[in-house]
Amino acid sequence: MKCAHKQITLYWSGELSAEQMAKVREHLRDCKYCAQYLDELQALASDIQALPELDPGKNLVLNAVRQIAPEAHQPPVRRVAILATVTGLLLVGIAVWTYLPRNTQQLRPSILQADGRWGEDSKEEIRIAAVKNRLQILKRRQHLTFPSRPARFPGIEKEIHGMQHRVSRISTCMTERCPRSFREILIHKRRKG
Amino acid sequence: MEKELIQRAQKGNTIAAEQLYARYHNRIFSYLWRMTQNRLLAEDAAQETFFKGIKGLKNYREKGTFKSWLFKIAYNEGLRILKKERKYFWQKPVNENDNENIEVPWQSDGSPMNPTPLSDDVMIEKEQQRAMEAALARLPVKERQVVVLRIHEGLSFQEISTIMNCSINTSLGRMHNAVRRMKKMINKGAGQP
């Protein structure tokens, strides 16, 4: 075997096959140069192995874990508080969405005067639509709170009925080209009735 | 035991991940300290190594050992930080007689000497370690990596060549050069104050 520091290094490292190890061992008996290199390697290794491991003085692993999963390392009380706040806010949001009457519907009358302006019948129509809207909300609320009970509001239903009747009377008067005002019509009708 | 920890950590168990990486905490820091020769850079690199290690654990396949996988991350991270600091490129050429400006990592605060009085034996041992550390610090970065990874960390040359992305012959050549260089430095008393 020729002198080869790579083989000696691998021999020292224990990374050769049994056959190669035997060859190097045989070579080391005859070659002072290689034997000296092996001694140096062993001496250096024992000196370097004796070097201490260093302590950074802070937990770098924990910092890395916190960077990745910050919520997992929060104290339990804080975690519970955050959870309770989030749940509370969610419930309040649902309640507001469910119970508060929303008037998102744009009410527009279908009956307009000849010049495009709202007449008394238009206003009455809008009033009916508003009351109907309110009735729908009340029915929905009733259904959500007491699903088993039938959602009936006779007072409001009666009110709507009365209003619808009034509109029909006004509309009839308008189609007959009645020149009198709404108040006058009503007085007239009441007297007539 | 380590396999079990790896499997649990891969499933997202942060406590298992913490336990797993805590085993390599000081080793990775020491390795990066010896690589960068700077406490702050080593801390940054180690922190980033653990962060990437935990985050990329899902991609770890048992092709090599976990240790060599982690040291590959540490090596890349160390190089990245050195490049960022531009020390890698304008590092002074190795001057074996230059004994100044070598930081020796004795204690966690980086101070080279222990301020408390020590017995003669301990003093001699510390002095030898200091000389060895100083000689190691003056090796070229890649030779130093091979020495530390093989001797201090006990990795095989095969693993080192994978970590450093070079051939096994290159690793062996670097080891040979490092041994020669260190012998020369120690003989000249380069590590002594």
Side-chain angles (χ1 to χ4, degrees), chain B residues 81-106:
Chain B
I81 279 205
L82 281 176
K83 278 180 185 173
K84 200 173 147 194
E85 293 296 311
R86 303 183 69 84
K87 279 190 177 177
Y88 189 66
F89 294 113
W90 48 265
Q91 196 182 25
K92 279 184 205 169
V94 180
N95 181 356
E96 290 164 12
N97 297 319
D98 180 17
N99 206 19
E100 288 173 10
N101 302 323
I102 298 229
E103 201 184 345
V104 180
W106 283 134

Side-chain angles (χ1 to χ4, degrees), chain A residues 5 9 13 15 33 37 40-41 45 47-48 50-54 56 58 60 62-65 68 73, chain B residues 18 25-27 30 34 39 43 46-47 51 54 105 129 132 147 150-152 156-157 176 179-180 183:
Chain A
H5 65 83
T9 312
S13 184
E15 290 177 59
Y33 173 80
Y37 174 63
E40 285 166 9
L41 204 52
D47 284 347
I48 290 176
L51 291 178
E53 261 184 16
L54 308 168
K58 52 184 162 185
L60 300 171
L62 192 64
N63 290 351
V65 170
I68 288 167
H73 284 266
Chain B
E18 207 181 313
H25 184 250
N26 288 4
R27 298 173 100 172
S30 308
R34 290 187 173 109
R39 164 167 286 274
E43 271 179 20
Q47 175 93 53
F51 180 76
I54 296 167
Q129 285 183 351
M132 189 54 67
V147 172
R150 176 62 198 91
I151 300 175
H152 211 258
S156 68
F157 283 103
H176 182 252
V179 171
R180 286 274 173 259
K183 188 196 163 194

Side-chain angles (χ1 to χ4, degrees), chain A residues 152-188:
Chain A
R152 279 187 187 160
F153 299 92
I156 297 171
E157 278 165 9
K158 198 179 170 185
E159 191 186 338
I160 292 169
H161 183 73
M163 288 167 94
Q164 275 172 341
H165 182 65
R166 245 184 300 162
V167 168
S168 71
R169 280 162 65 195
I170 296 164
S171 300
T172 316
C173 186
M174 291 289 186
T175 47
E176 285 169 6
R177 296 178 186 276
C178 183
R180 285 164 291 191
S181 70
F182 177 64
R183 187 175 286 275
E184 283 170 339
I185 294 164
L186 289 179
I187 295 163
H188 174 72

